[in-house]
Amino acid sequence: MAAPALPVTLAIALCVAFTTPAAPQGLLDFFKSILPAQTFEQARTKTKQGYGAEVHGKIKINGKSFDFVSGGRGRGSAPFGTYRVGPLRGFKAPKGTWVPGYHLSDAYDPFVKDTRAGLFIHPGHNASAGCVAIRKDEWPSFVKAIEGAAKVGGPLAIRLGPGSEPMQETPLPSIVKYARYKRSAGRRSKTIKIHLRSHTRTHHHRKT
């Protein structure tokens, strides 16, 4: 009588960092909802200091629109593209005030030739240091709307830019894919898990 075949497990880990100008369709399909953050400006221009000029627009969630601004202070507006949206957390402003917000994935900014980190969607006034600032009087309704969208399940993202116009660049979070194959006598199973590497800053907030 032959001995039963022992299960054989083959684990493969693939690490892929996406920095290409166009988002692969498979990656975009990973997000359950990509919320349009459509700017009125058709292109992102430079200030005299070489930063991204201030942009304005509306984020649309399930038929509702919320006004936002990005830029006007610090290193200017956020680059156009697709950003992963983290859960509602917040950050501590330089003056010590706690500001609620949704952390956004880091993005390479070709204007400053560096990665922009510490970006959030948060309540604000008429300018920001790169974050997507929602009007303060609209913030409670915005939180209710985006939390409702998140309940559908799966990661959320925003697509910042002029809508139908091509993006200048598409910042994307690093992706780590873990593929595990298990084989046993008479059965084969395949499991693929995808994890997003994110930087969740919940202490002193420094926008770059």
Side-chain angles (χ1 to χ4, degrees):
M1 179 177 178
L6 296 175
V8 179
T9 300
L10 174 62
I12 302 174
L14 303 175
C15 178
V16 183
F18 293 96
T19 56
T20 54
Q25 186 60 47
L27 178 59
L28 294 184
D29 289 343
F30 176 72
F31 297 113
K32 295 296 183 182
S33 297
I34 300 180
L35 309 173
Q38 189 166 346
T39 58
F40 301 134
E41 294 80 6
Q42 291 299 304
R44 184 170 175 254
T45 59
K46 282 187 180 182
T47 64
K48 292 180 179 179
Q49 294 77 22
Y51 302 148
E54 187 175 314
V55 297
H56 311 77
K58 292 180 180 291
I59 295 181
K60 297 180 180 179
I61 307 175
N62 295 328
K64 297 181 179 180
S65 296
F66 303 92
D67 296 311
F68 74 85
V69 61
S70 176
R73 295 198 300 263
R75 301 175 82 187
S77 59
F80 288 171
T82 302
Y83 293 79
R84 178 191 55 79
V85 179
L88 180 61
R89 294 177 184 267
F91 59 91
K92 187 175 288 187
K95 293 183 179 180
T97 306
W98 182 260
V99 181
Y102 295 89
H103 187 258
L104 299 176
S105 51
D106 296 349
Y108 178 76
D109 189 342
F111 286 179
V112 299
K113 295 180 174 58
D114 195 7
T115 297
R116 303 289 296 277
L119 299 176
F120 278 80
I121 304 176
H122 65 74
H125 296 290
N126 56 357
S128 77
C131 292
V132 176
I134 304 293
R135 276 176 42 180
K136 279 192 172 182
D137 60 325
E138 295 182 352
W139 179 252
S141 298
F142 174 81
V143 170
K144 184 177 180 180
I146 199 168
E147 291 295 326
K151 286 181 180 179
V152 176
L156 295 179
I158 62 166
R159 186 165 176 81
L160 179 66
S164 60
E165 295 296 320
M167 298 293 97
Q168 293 177 351
E169 62 277 326
T170 305
L172 293 169
S174 297
I175 300 297
V176 179
K177 294 183 179 180
Y178 295 96
R180 176 173 294 175
Y181 298 83
K182 293 183 178 180
R183 287 186 182 181
S184 60
R187 188 178 73 175
R188 170 187 288 183
S189 64
K190 176 181 179 181
T191 304
I192 298 178
K193 296 180 181 178
I194 301 179
H195 298 278
L196 293 177
R197 288 176 177 170
S198 63
H199 304 279
T200 54
R201 296 176 175 81
T202 57
H203 301 293
H204 292 282
H205 180 54
R206 182 182 178 186
K207 301 181 188 69
T208 58

